[in-house]
Amino acid sequence: MTATPPPDATGRPRGLLRPAGPVVDCDIAVLGSGMGGATLAYALCGTGARVLVVERGDFLPREWQNWSAPDVFTAARYRNAEPWYDAASGRFFSPGVHYYVGGNTKVFGATLPRFREADFGPLEHAEGVSPGWPFPYGVLEPHYARAERLYRVHGARAADPTDPWRSGDYPWPAVPHEPAVATLAASLRDQGLTPFALPTGVDLREDGGCLRCGTCDGFPCLVEAKSDADVCALRPALASGNVSLLTRATVTRLVTGASGRRVTEALAQYEGRELRIRADRFVLACGAVNTAALLLRSEPGALHTGPVRTTGLANGSGQAGRNYMVHNSTFLMAVAPRHANDVVFQKTLGVNDWYLGNGSRGPLGNIQALGKLRPPSAGGLWPRTPRPLLAAATRRSFDLYLTSEDLPVPGNRVAVGPGDRIEVHWRPVNLPPHRELARRAVQMMRRAGFPLVRTRRMGIAVNSHQCGTAVAGDDPASSVVDRGCKAHELDNLWVADSSWFPSSAAVNPALTIAANALRIAPGVAGLPEETYGVHSAGAPREAGAARAADTARGGSGDGGTAGP
């Protein structure tokens, strides 16, 4: 079976667009259906606008292989991104991104924390300063609360010592630790640490579908009980009637009108032919790498507000594609040779005692439990280890994921190279604090009764937490979009993924992407924020008028229309 929205009376998946002609018209085109694009579509579904979500992939199949570790990890059954080019090594690599309806959230671990309040301000690190955001945490807080309700986040208020202030409790109580996790948490408390229950997006509500199985982190959810963007946001949006979805369409370029201030259409490859997507407003939610690549591939238009003339769209500052960040991350497997770990749902524990305030070493980062490692997943981390030894180790291991902040530097960037290939120029920044975090985590686990500890730091291919390539700021000379995530140089282009993040923080970015999509929805819809609700009535201002004034469009537009 296939994960599609419930069918309408004709049997066609609800909201699924299949254009016959060369042109599709809509009011708002959202390019990308991951956490940013799907959440934004949900927030726009009551505005009266005809919203079209464009996804280059298709629905991820619901099949028994969803829960097969050999299929998911060894055979990489669901890895479907094209190779990207590592400019430093001169080799191609398989990126950790997934082109499906719902994007990377189809396989994420569903850990949904808020960024710390300090993450929104300038923060000194060992190798530089993490820049401040153009608004403080308090601006995003109510949207965090809305996103937690939308994505069914389970958590415990004030359990994490670094948690930011909240206007209310979590919508649902924390996922309880299984005995093995609770035993480790007690040992950590004996060490003077403050372990807490990770904020987790799974459906453990009354009559919820979550089975608390061992195939959540890194796997697709066969029972659709993981709070991914497809299930929680896009499907309700499609059911509203004014949101449509176009799958298997890869947008290659944005085109501007004569003034250079408006995007008039997006050109896409669809079923072997070119499709022109026309809209009054466009939103990029392709992921930090693909959003940057799309801007760089697009025509520059007539207007440049920045200090230099550069290639690409919305790039007068020269910052499009620059400041690329991924977290410094390490997998840790701690083994207690005499004790089997019979845990099933392991990913419930976090440690943030060293997130902030560590003297001269600066902030170190976040520690969280992994979904239980098994030989197929551990084999990808330590491929030279004999499989019988891996099997014995993973039966007795507790597994952690360590995350430290990556800092934005202009030289870490995304570019478009020969043959239209995506090139990633990246070197790790701020590694000394990450090494210290790993040292402390190893010591912590040994004290907890795990004498054998292995670590593996991740490289360029582990990039699902990518951000920073279309940075937000108040100065058009040094940023790509403003604090509302609208491009400085364009009147009708926004960014809704993590491209706009000025810094990466050191926790999972998904909830922050979702909260921000809810925050910017009024601006995208042309509605005043103070009167805007998730499902409030209304229509985008000047729908169609600005489009007609900007350019006379060729074609009849009879290839399809997004919406009812």
Side-chain angles (χ1 to χ4, degrees), residues 398-417:
F398 199 99
D399 318 293
L400 301 175
Y401 189 62
L402 319 180
T403 305
S404 300
E405 186 158 352
D406 189 12
L407 300 180
V409 295
N412 282 352
R413 63 188 179 93
V414 174
V416 178

Side-chain angles (χ1 to χ4, degrees), residues 145-161:
R146 294 167 61 198
E148 287 168 342
R149 292 192 296 272
L150 178 60
Y151 285 97
R152 308 178 300 207
V153 179
H154 296 64
R157 186 175 188 174
D160 176 356

Side-chain angles (χ1 to χ4, degrees), residues 192-210:
L193 300 174
T194 316
F196 61 93
L198 290 172
T200 303
V202 290
D203 192 3
L204 282 173
R205 302 169 299 175
E206 186 176 356
D207 299 324
C210 181

Side-chain angles (χ1 to χ4, degrees), residues 151-282:
Y151 285 97
R152 308 178 300 207
V153 179
H154 296 64
R157 186 175 188 174
D160 176 356
T162 67
D163 247 353
W165 60 267
R166 308 173 54 89
S167 55
D169 290 332
Y170 281 93
W172 290 275
V175 180
H177 295 321
E178 292 185 28
V181 184
T183 298
L184 176 59
S187 176
L188 300 185
R189 282 191 290 270
D190 289 342
Q191 297 179 37
L193 300 174
T194 316
F196 61 93
L198 290 172
T200 303
V202 290
D203 192 3
L204 282 173
R205 302 169 299 175
E206 186 176 356
D207 299 324
C210 181
L211 306 175
R212 290 189 55 158
C213 66
T215 51
C216 188
D217 193 5
F219 294 81
C221 182
L222 181 60
V223 297
E224 297 186 335
K226 180 159 57 176
S227 295
D228 66 50
D230 167 28
V231 171
C232 288
L234 189 56
R235 295 194 201 180
L238 293 174
S240 71
N242 69 298
V243 176
S244 298
L245 173 66
L246 174 64
T247 61
R248 306 196 304 274
T250 302
V251 176
T252 58
R253 190 161 64 94
L254 303 176
V255 179
T256 57
S259 70
R261 290 217 62 110
R262 298 185 64 83
V263 176
T264 56
E265 59 187 19
L267 305 183
Q269 286 297 310
Y270 174 72
E271 296 186 346
R273 58 186 172 90
E274 184 175 82
L275 183 69
R276 296 157 66 187
I277 300 165
R278 295 173 170 172
D280 296 304
R281 297 161 187 244
F282 290 83

Side-chain angles (χ1 to χ4, degrees), residues 113-125 129-144 162-165 355-356 405 472 483 500-509 511-513 515-516 519:
R114 302 181 180 198
F115 279 10
R116 317 295 90 178
E117 188 168 7
D119 290 328
F120 288 78
L123 199 58
E124 291 281 348
H125 286 263
V129 176
S130 177
W133 290 32
F135 53 83
Y137 165 79
V139 170
L140 205 56
E141 197 282 333
H143 308 290
Y144 270 133
T162 67
D163 247 353
W165 60 267
Y355 195 95
L356 299 168
E405 186 158 352
R483 64 177 59 199
W500 69 274
F501 285 16
S503 64
S504 68
V507 291
N508 313 53
L511 190 73
T512 300
I513 297 170
N516 183 68
R519 179 185 73 92

